[in-house]
Amino acid sequence: MSATPSKTMAALWMAGWLSLMLVMAVAGRETTRELNVFQIMEVRSVIGLTLLLPFIYRAGGFKAVATRRLPQHLARNGVHYFAQLGWFYALTLIGIGQVVAIEFTMPIWTALLAATFLSERMTVWKIAAVVLGIVGVVMIVRPATSEINPGQLIALGAAIGFSVSMILAKSLTRTESALSILFWMIIVQMVVGLLPTFAVWTWPSAPLWGWLFVIGVCGTFSHYCLASALRYADATIVVPMDFLRVPLTATVGWLLYSERLDAWTVLGAALILCGNLLNLKPAPAVPARAP
């Protein structure tokens, strides 16, 4: 299901992903004040499936989401479920700006995994991006100091999990539609989270149902945007486009929650940004062999 490569189309779809993920960060912060993360994830999946059904019907019914790559869907969405679980849990431990800053090591891990499993080229710029990203996350987490927070490590683990999910999603876009990828994401994650949700279930208050609906909408259609963007560009091109979410989320955290980012976090995020910008540099053309 690959489309004609286009950075412009990829950027437009990623703008949708960015906007929806920014809103979901705020909704996630609000719901985790009262609800268990398993419950949030399960309600999100149920709402997402409800929202998706009209699109499936319009596309021709469930035959439009039929797949011959169920094991790949299971692997991708199992990894993504636990990464998303960690992301929501990290929001309860550290500021949303710091969670997102650490999450943006994802392009670093994506570059390494894409080179290994998708045969995408590792250029000198991508190697530089990896180095800068690692240095940046060390500055944010500061493992040599007493300031390290479990939330930072959980956010880092989530970022690595998102990278694995991204690579598997990119592989799926070669044969699967964005609608199919999204449908199987919802189904797999709904099944995985069913028993834990029953174990911790508490009935949400009326305001929380509003926030849960926001999470369901943003969590569903953000991934449709992401899967669509991956049809137009390599994973190592698509992911760095999302970096604008760092300053935007930090601004939201400051305006809504009076969160402050320390100098180390700002400097680390700046290094990760530099690495991601290097990652966008085009690879040098490979000279054609003489006949």
Side-chain angles (χ1 to χ4, degrees):
M1 292 286 178
S2 297
T4 303
S6 169
K7 287 186 179 181
T8 300
M9 290 300 299
L12 289 173
W13 281 111
M14 284 304 289
W17 156 271
L18 186 155
S19 302
L20 293 169
M21 288 298 291
L22 182 63
V23 174
M24 193 169 76
V26 175
R29 187 62 176 273
E30 293 299 320
T31 51
T32 52
R33 294 177 187 273
E34 298 183 31
L35 296 181
N36 186 279
V37 176
F38 283 109
Q39 186 174 345
I40 294 170
M41 292 281 290
E42 190 68 16
V43 173
R44 168 195 161 177
S45 295
V46 172
I47 293 173
L49 180 60
T50 303
L51 293 171
L52 201 63
L53 287 176
F55 292 89
I56 294 174
Y57 175 79
R58 185 176 180 182
F62 286 103
K63 64 181 180 181
V65 295
T67 182
R68 296 181 179 179
R69 301 183 65 184
L70 185 58
Q72 289 89 337
H73 284 287
L74 292 173
R76 186 249 169 172
N77 293 304
V79 171
H80 185 270
Y81 179 85
F82 288 103
Q84 189 73 76
L85 202 69
W87 187 83
F88 275 117
Y89 187 55
L91 286 173
T92 69
L93 301 174
I94 57 177
I96 59 175
Q98 196 172 56
V99 170
V100 174
I102 294 173
E103 181 189 346
F104 272 84
T105 58
M106 184 171 65
I108 310 307
W109 317 121
T110 300
L112 293 172
L113 293 169
T116 303
F117 297 105
L118 299 181
S119 300
E120 294 184 10
R121 295 178 60 193
M122 274 298 286
T123 65
V124 65
W125 300 115
K126 290 181 181 180
I127 294 172
V130 170
V131 173
L132 287 173
I134 291 174
V135 173
V137 77
V138 168
M139 286 187 171
I140 295 172
V141 177
R142 294 186 297 281
T145 74
S146 59
E147 300 177 28
I148 193 167
N149 185 305
Q152 296 171 327
L153 298 180
I154 292 171
L156 182 59
I160 296 172
F162 285 140
S163 299
V164 175
S165 172
M166 180 73 67
I167 294 304
L168 292 173
K170 175 61 179 177
S171 175
L172 285 168
T173 60
R174 293 171 176 172
T175 59
E176 309 284 286
S177 68
L179 186 63
S180 176
I181 291 171
L182 183 55
F183 171 78
W184 287 106
M185 182 194 80
I186 291 172
I187 293 298
V188 172
Q189 295 189 7
M190 187 185 299
V191 172
V192 169
L194 193 58
L195 290 179
T197 299
F198 281 140
V200 301
W201 179 266
T202 58
W203 198 258
S205 62
L208 279 186
W209 276 113
W211 285 116
L212 287 168
F213 182 76
V214 170
I215 289 175
V217 172
C218 294
T220 300
F221 294 110
S222 63
H223 284 275
Y224 185 86
C225 292
L226 177 61
S228 297
L230 287 168
R231 294 177 60 233
Y232 288 98
D234 283 346
T236 50
I237 296 297
V238 166
V239 177
M241 294 180 184
D242 193 26
F243 198 90
L244 186 59
R245 190 154 46 101
V246 172
L248 288 176
T249 305
T251 301
V252 169
W254 171 61
L255 291 174
L256 297 183
Y257 305 110
S258 300
E259 294 177 356
R260 302 287 182 179
L261 290 178
D262 60 32
W264 286 108
T265 298
V266 173
L267 182 57
L271 286 177
I272 298 172
L273 170 60
C274 291
N276 286 336
L277 292 175
L278 290 177
N279 202 19
L280 288 171
K281 290 182 71 68
V286 179
R289 293 184 178 181

